[in-house]
Amino acid sequence: MKESIGKVPGLAVILVGQRRDSQTYVRNKIKACEEAGIKSLMTELPEDCTEDKILSALSSFNENPSIHGILVQLPLPKHLDEEKILNMVSLEKDVDGFNPLNMGNLAMRGREPVFIPCTAKGCIELLLRSGVEIMGKKAVVIGRSNIAGLPTSLLLQRHHATVSILHALSKNPDQITRQADIVVTAVGVPNLVRGHWLKPGAVVIDVGTYPIEDPSSEFGYRLIGDVCYEEALGVASAVTPVPGGVGPMTIAMLLSNTLDSAKRVYDIT
Ligand SMILES: NC(=O)C1=CN([C@@H]2O[C@H](COP(=O)(O)OP(=O)(O)OC[C@H]3O[C@@H](n4cnc5c(N)ncnc54)[C@H](OP(=O)(O)O)[C@@H]3O)[C@@H](O)[C@H]2O)C=CC1
Ligand SMILES: Nc1nc(=O)c2c([nH]1)NC[C@@H]1CN(c3ccc(C(=O)N[C@@H](CCC(=O)O)C(=O)O)cc3)C=[N+]21
């Protein structure tokens, strides 16, 4: 019998407000935890809750020895100070990697973050497991948000890609993407990346998800990505689908970070 039996990884999730997309993502994360044998603890707070309420929930999770990972679902309602809240998540339990200190360590040479943000880690994992070489390759990341674009560009850089970052004010984005071996897009604009934006043989990772009405689907909507999938398939060597691509990888990396955190606490290698 394994020594680790009885030592169960624990994840605490804080969800503030009633956003339908956030509720879906959190539900998916909790379901994945159950399937993997990770104990999850969910705190739901109303849209108008005070910052103190969240900080005190975080403080109790930081102290709780059976919680190894803490996740504050983003975005938070406007009246809350996101930086202050994320700063409160203990570095050792920051399985989302969104504590500014973790993010800073991801950006700085010679430093190691305790955890790498899940979407970025999921994108790199997809590349590595598909045998796509990153070192020395030209990568373009479209989008520079703290949650997706920025950490992905930093992580590609850590893997020695030559990285360009495109954003809403970039001019002639297609000319830049056409030079790229790897294109990661995290914008949320459907069909932004067309077939002619791509170099033949490029690898395309589509992080974007945009809900469109679809009465025939279970929840009345379905998700589409940033990439014009059919066009891209005709030019690229590989394209990740939406749904069923980066989304599930993000969740898998959350579980992986939570497990790593628990192993560290229980001193299991
Ligand atoms: N599958 C998953 O696991 C995840 C999916 N997502 C999805 O990824 C998408 C992006 O999310 P998130 O990063 O949080 O979104 P944000 O809105 O925070 O960021 C969007 C980024 O895209 C840039 N942008 C906007 N319009 C354009 C454009 N026309 N051309 C180029 N860049 C543009 C913005 O530029 P600027 O900085 O100049 O404003 C910004 O950097 C969403 O669809 C979201 O649902 C996000 C996280 C995880
Ligand atoms: N603190 C925090 N951490 C996050 O990691 C975080 C967040 N806040 N806020 C929002 C974004 C978005 N995100 C997704 C996770 C899974 C899917 C996912 O599993 N998508 C499925 C489909 C889901 C569906 O059907 O709605 C798929 O693409 O196949 C999508 C998006 C995590 N985020």
Side-chain angles (χ1 to χ4, degrees):
M1 207 180 270
K2 284 237 171 112
E3 185 222 347
S4 58
I5 296 284
K7 295 172 179 171
V8 180
L11 174 73
V13 178
I14 297 183
L15 174 61
V16 186
Q18 300 285 325
R19 276 181 69 122
R20 206 175 56 155
D21 57 344
S22 294
Q23 287 172 332
T24 306
Y25 297 142
V26 166
R27 199 183 322 116
N28 290 352
K29 288 170 186 175
I30 286 176
K31 187 163 164 267
C33 280
E34 277 166 18
E35 286 167 5
I38 293 174
K39 191 170 182 300
S40 59
L41 209 118
M42 159 97 154
T43 298
E44 277 185 272
L45 295 166
E47 180 82 25
D48 61 354
C49 88
T50 62
E51 212 161 85
D52 280 350
K53 194 102 186 150
I54 301 176
L55 294 176
S56 87
L58 282 173
S59 163
S60 86
F61 291 145
N62 282 340
E63 300 298 318
N64 185 337
S66 56
I67 298 293
H68 307 97
I70 301 172
L71 181 152
V72 181
Q73 185 66 22
L74 300 176
L76 289 166
K78 291 267 176 298
H79 69 282
L80 298 167
D81 183 342
E82 183 180 296
E83 190 184 334
K84 192 169 172 191
I85 289 166
L86 295 178
N87 255 319
M88 181 77 185
V89 177
S90 138
L91 278 185
E92 288 69 35
K93 299 189 180 189
D94 181 29
V95 288
D96 244 349
F98 291 162
N99 182 315
L101 200 53
N102 245 331
M103 198 73 109
N105 284 334
L106 180 66
M108 290 172 80
R109 295 197 59 84
R111 297 228 201 166
E112 290 298 327
V114 187
F115 293 106
I116 292 168
C118 303
T119 299
K121 197 173 166 185
C123 291
I124 301 298
E125 199 72 21
L126 276 168
L127 293 171
L128 295 176
R129 293 204 186 201
S130 310
V132 177
E133 203 183 344
I134 304 176
M135 194 191 300
K137 298 291 178 184
K138 282 188 186 155
V140 168
V141 179
I142 317 178
R144 54 178 169 181
S145 72
N146 291 342
I147 172 167
L150 176 67
T152 305
S153 65
L154 293 172
L155 195 55
L156 280 164
Q157 217 178 128
R158 277 194 169 240
H159 284 262
H160 310 293
T162 304
V163 184
S164 305
I165 299 163
L166 298 178
H167 47 77
L169 304 177
S170 298
K171 301 264 191 299
N172 306 320
D174 56 311
Q175 288 176 17
I176 319 265
T177 52
R178 255 199 308 276
Q179 296 173 37
D181 305 299
I182 299 167
V183 175
V184 180
T185 176
V187 176
V189 172
N191 297 323
L192 174 72
V193 177
R194 306 290 306 267
H196 70 272
W197 283 40
L198 303 170
K199 178 165 107 174
V203 172
V204 183
I205 309 268
D206 193 352
V207 179
T209 58
Y210 185 85
I212 54 165
E213 263 187 56
D214 181 3
S216 69
S217 83
E218 193 187 344
F219 298 108
Y221 74 95
R222 68 188 168 90
L223 295 177
I224 53 172
D226 290 346
V227 177
C228 192
Y229 188 71
E230 296 302 326
E231 281 185 15
L233 269 187
V235 185
S237 61
V239 187
T240 63
V242 175
V246 175
M249 286 302 288
T250 299
I251 295 184
M253 295 304 112
L254 175 68
L255 305 183
S256 155
N257 281 351
T258 306
L259 181 62
D260 283 350
S261 180
K263 281 174 156 180
R264 211 168 286 147
V265 169
Y266 296 129
D267 205 16
I268 299 166
T269 46

